Amino acid sequence: MPTMKAIQLEAPGGPDVLQLVELPLPQPQAGEVRVKAMAIGAGGPDVLIRNGTYKWMPPMPAIPGNEMAGVVDAVGPGVTALRVGQRVFVSARELKQRGGCYAEAICVPEAAPFVLPDAIRFEDAVSLGNFQLALAMLSSNGNSPAASVLIPGAAGGVATALVQVARDRGLHVIGTASTPEKKDFALANGAHEVIESDPQGLTEKVMQLTGGRGVDLAFDHLGGAHFIACLRALAPFGMAVSYNIVTGPPAGDVFEELRKLLGKSLAVRTFSIHAIDADAAQRRGLMESAIALMAAGRVRAPKAALFALEDARRVHELLDSGGMLGKSVLLPPAVRGR
């Protein structure tokens, strides 16, 4: 029986729970295709699966991984939408459960993969999920007119996608960064200005850069004092979007802060891509738009750091440390041997 290599965990924990295993090569059933991996994305949701805190946990034993780019190498009975040899991108957002992509191959329903244009490299394709997320967040204000945006932690994976999509739409992009290296990275990926990430002086600096008006949108994944600073940096009718709270909940009463700023009529949204889990047309439409933007060269994937599939533990150690810039990509043995 043919086999494949995969990364699996029996129970949640630190990076050491990730095990390189040999599993039977999956065979596509009726209506399924098998995708041979050429590049596998590694990111924050995979860490949440590994440590057992993801709200959409797959059952154990679990294979992490939510993004795979590769080639269809087998089809099951009745498949008509795809053919062997096609380049495709698999997102776990299109599957019944999250995870499953830290493997040399995966079988999925034929309707799940996205056809990948030749213009997009496999290692770049695994960043498409971040651009899909960025497009969804940038429309979360109902596509009301906006001129400027604040993106704290602008060197992060999702933040980098937000920077590029916002700039493509003509918005003035202000980012924050905690180190000179991260500042350079954010500027290289499209931010117009990058300021210090210290929330104490954040509002004042944003007001200086916007002529005292503030920004129309702020996308915060840090939480803590940063979220309150984002609120204070908003223009009239502006909106702050919280899509994570890495440093914890907002450092203060958000509603009280909104009342203090009542004259600006501000809005707050908490955002999760899971809000459109049941809306296949919207979800897939956003991904198709992300693919079109990248294929046309209007946005580009951040530089990828390439690792062997069997180095998944090391990748997760780096993800845990917060020191990664760009996208972490796992390469199966067959790809590395080309």
Side-chain angles (χ1 to χ4, degrees):
M1 176 183 295
T3 62
M4 70 170 185
K5 289 181 170 59
I7 300 295
Q8 192 177 67
L9 62 147
E10 298 284 342
D16 59 302
V17 302
L18 298 175
Q19 303 288 333
L20 180 67
V21 297
E22 196 94 8
L23 299 174
L25 183 68
Q27 301 301 315
Q29 304 303 303
E32 292 185 336
V33 300
R34 186 174 69 208
V35 179
K36 177 182 178 182
M38 303 299 286
I40 301 160
D46 307 335
V47 172
L48 298 180
I49 288 175
R50 189 209 74 216
N51 64 30
T53 61
Y54 199 40
K55 290 184 179 180
W56 297 268
M57 284 291 292
M60 297 291 162
I63 296 174
N66 289 286
E67 305 142 346
M68 176 190 290
V71 177
V72 175
D73 75 339
V75 299
V79 170
T80 58
L82 296 169
R83 65 180 186 279
V84 172
Q86 273 191 298
R87 304 172 82 251
V88 293
F89 171 65
V90 174
S91 167
R93 291 172 185 158
E94 299 300 321
L95 306 180
K96 289 184 178 180
Q97 65 184 38
R98 296 304 198 256
C101 291
Y102 282 16
E104 290 189 277
I106 187 173
C107 286
V108 298
E110 66 173 319
F114 296 88
V115 175
L116 199 60
D118 291 340
I120 301 178
R121 302 186 305 167
F122 290 120
E123 57 265 40
D124 291 340
V126 294
S127 289
L128 283 166
N130 285 344
F131 287 97
Q132 177 194 36
L133 182 57
L135 286 165
M137 280 199 281
L138 279 165
S139 65
S140 63
N141 70 337
N143 289 312
S144 297
S148 57
V149 59
L150 172 64
I151 303 176
V158 175
T160 296
L162 276 167
V163 167
Q164 292 200 37
V165 175
R167 180 156 183 158
D168 180 71
R169 292 188 173 186
L171 298 177
H172 188 83
V173 181
I174 302 171
T176 78
S178 58
T179 68
E181 182 185 17
K182 290 182 178 180
K183 178 179 180 179
D184 290 344
F185 184 87
L187 289 169
N189 279 283
H192 292 96
E193 287 108 6
V194 179
I195 58 181
E196 294 294 325
S197 62
D198 183 359
Q200 294 300 320
L202 181 63
T203 301
E204 181 180 355
K205 291 176 182 175
V206 170
M207 290 300 175
Q208 289 173 353
L209 291 171
T210 58
R213 179 177 180 272
V215 293
D216 298 292
L217 291 164
F219 295 96
D220 179 55
H221 71 285
L222 299 173
H226 283 89
F227 188 76
I228 301 300
C230 284
L231 284 179
R232 295 171 179 168
L234 289 173
F237 298 101
M239 184 171 75
V241 179
S242 170
Y243 64 100
N244 206 338
I245 48 171
V246 172
T247 64
D253 187 318
V254 172
F255 188 75
E256 180 182 357
E257 193 67 32
L258 289 172
R259 294 300 298 179
K260 289 178 182 177
L261 300 167
L262 184 60
K264 289 188 174 184
S265 298
L266 303 179
V268 169
R269 180 181 294 281
T270 56
F271 183 89
S272 170
I273 194 71
H274 291 279
I276 57 173
D277 276 353
D279 191 337
Q282 183 180 5
R283 189 182 65 245
R284 292 189 68 86
L286 287 165
M287 181 60 80
E288 295 288 1
S289 295
I291 290 171
L293 285 172
M294 189 177 288
R298 291 170 59 184
V299 300
R300 67 180 189 277
K303 184 178 179 180
L306 306 179
F307 299 86
L309 177 63
E310 52 267 36
D311 289 336
R313 281 189 185 180
R314 173 60 179 153
V315 172
H316 275 240
E317 289 171 355
L318 292 168
L319 289 170
D320 283 353
S321 73
M324 292 294 295
L325 288 176
K327 186 70 175 180
S328 299
V329 178
L330 302 174
L331 300 178
V335 176
R336 301 196 313 275
R338 288 187 303 166

